[in-house]
Amino acid sequence: MSIHSELIPRVTVEGAVYPSLKGKGVLITGGGSGIGASLVEHFCTQGARVGFIELNSDTADETARRIGAATGNPPHHEAVDLRDIGALRTAISSLSERIGPVRVLVNNAGNDDRMPLENVTPEYWDERFQTNLRHQFFAAQAVIGDMARAGGGSIINMGSISWMRGAAGLIFYTTAKSAVMGMTKSLAREVGERNIRVNSIAPGWVLTERQVERAKRIYHGKFAEYLEVQCLKEHLLPPDIARMALWLAADDSRLVTAQTFIVDAGVV
């Protein structure tokens, strides 16, 4: 049984239309599944020229096929390990040739796997930062030139409320995600004169298929317990995050920068 039929009604991609996004080049990292796939679908629905990066080539192919069929606006994609900065730069260059200059970058990719404190090695710590933070900076670095030459753009970094809550079992993740806020504010200051806006989104617990399967396997009671700490008693879904990203990408938020937007139904 899917998460939508078991726990909550399905949220469709219907919503506000942003004319300023039509035809605009949008690059999304980690776009093959979960929040990333919802981002790809929402931007394609707006008529943007979308490219996404995904680690697994089969997942990328299937997501692109599905979204293309659903929206009539098939996204382009590259299969890349974002920990390889050289490969990331090459993928961004390749996608830019197909979608035009990148005017919107959504740094979505990340991984919140857990590990006991005692088992964390220096090598694992460094790898988690490569997975959850480093690529965000280098993806931004790779697109700011095109953004500036095109007249400006919007960079959206994906953070998390996990560090605000002091979540246990993933210190390497919460440390990296807390750094996203600082990076966002400094980057916004540095590129503002080029008409580039930089903001971040800090989601709460979003019920992607991956998150639901893990919660069912480890502790099914988490669903009810998490609702208790939310002000709004409805589970977050990927479209709830995607809709915030649409607004931050569109001209409607043209003077909004250096901010972190918490989308968590009122947890923190």
Side-chain angles (χ1 to χ4, degrees), residues 8-30:
I8 36 179
R10 178 173 175 78
V11 176
T12 70
V13 296
E14 295 175 2
V17 175
Y18 297 96
S20 62
L21 293 177
K22 187 171 183 179
K24 190 170 285 186
V26 176
L27 174 64
I28 298 164
T29 66

Side-chain angles (χ1 to χ4, degrees), residues 105 107 140 143-144 147 153-157 187 196-199:
L105 168 66
N107 274 318
V143 302
I144 57 174
M147 282 188 178
S154 175
I155 296 172
I156 303 163
N157 300 320
L187 187 57
I196 298 171
R197 300 181 294 110
V198 189
N199 293 286

Side-chain angles (χ1 to χ4, degrees), residues 204-222:
W205 189 39
V206 180
L207 294 193
T208 63
E209 297 288 352
R210 177 175 178 271
Q211 293 291 336
V212 169
E213 289 308 313
R214 181 167 63 188
K216 284 181 177 178
R217 186 174 65 253
I218 298 173
Y219 180 52
H220 195 281
K222 181 177 180 179

Side-chain angles (χ1 to χ4, degrees), residues 100-127:
V102 176
R103 301 294 303 278
V104 176
L105 168 66
V106 186
N107 274 318
N108 167 73
N111 188 303
D112 66 344
D113 283 346
R114 272 69 167 168
M115 179 175 285
L117 175 67
E118 294 81 4
N119 296 345
V120 176
T121 64
E123 293 76 19
Y124 186 78
W125 179 274
D126 290 345
E127 188 277 330

Side-chain angles (χ1 to χ4, degrees), residues 52-183:
F52 72 91
I53 294 173
E54 166 61 36
L55 177 63
N56 185 289
S57 60
D58 291 339
T59 299
D61 290 342
E62 173 56 26
T63 297
R65 183 205 61 75
R66 176 180 60 79
I67 292 175
T71 66
N73 180 19
H76 301 275
H77 62 281
E78 291 282 338
V80 168
D81 185 338
L82 294 174
R83 294 169 297 185
D84 183 339
I85 301 303
L88 169 62
R89 288 169 170 159
T90 298
I92 291 174
S93 177
S94 175
L95 287 170
S96 296
E97 292 177 0
R98 285 173 275 170
I99 68 174
V102 176
R103 301 294 303 278
V104 176
L105 168 66
V106 186
N107 274 318
N108 167 73
N111 188 303
D112 66 344
D113 283 346
R114 272 69 167 168
M115 179 175 285
L117 175 67
E118 294 81 4
N119 296 345
V120 176
T121 64
E123 293 76 19
Y124 186 78
W125 179 274
D126 290 345
E127 188 277 330
R128 291 291 89 183
F129 268 68
Q130 292 173 23
T131 299
N132 291 305
L133 177 65
R134 188 178 68 157
H135 62 83
Q136 293 199 13
F137 171 80
F138 286 102
Q141 183 190 63
V143 302
I144 57 174
D146 276 353
M147 282 188 178
R149 285 186 288 272
S154 175
I155 296 172
I156 303 163
N157 300 320
M158 200 63 69
S160 170
I161 69 162
S162 59
W163 69 269
M164 302 175 193
R165 302 189 74 209
L170 63 170
I171 290 176
F172 36 85
Y173 178 81
T174 58
T175 304
K177 287 300 186 179
S178 68
V180 169
M181 182 181 285
M183 180 183 70

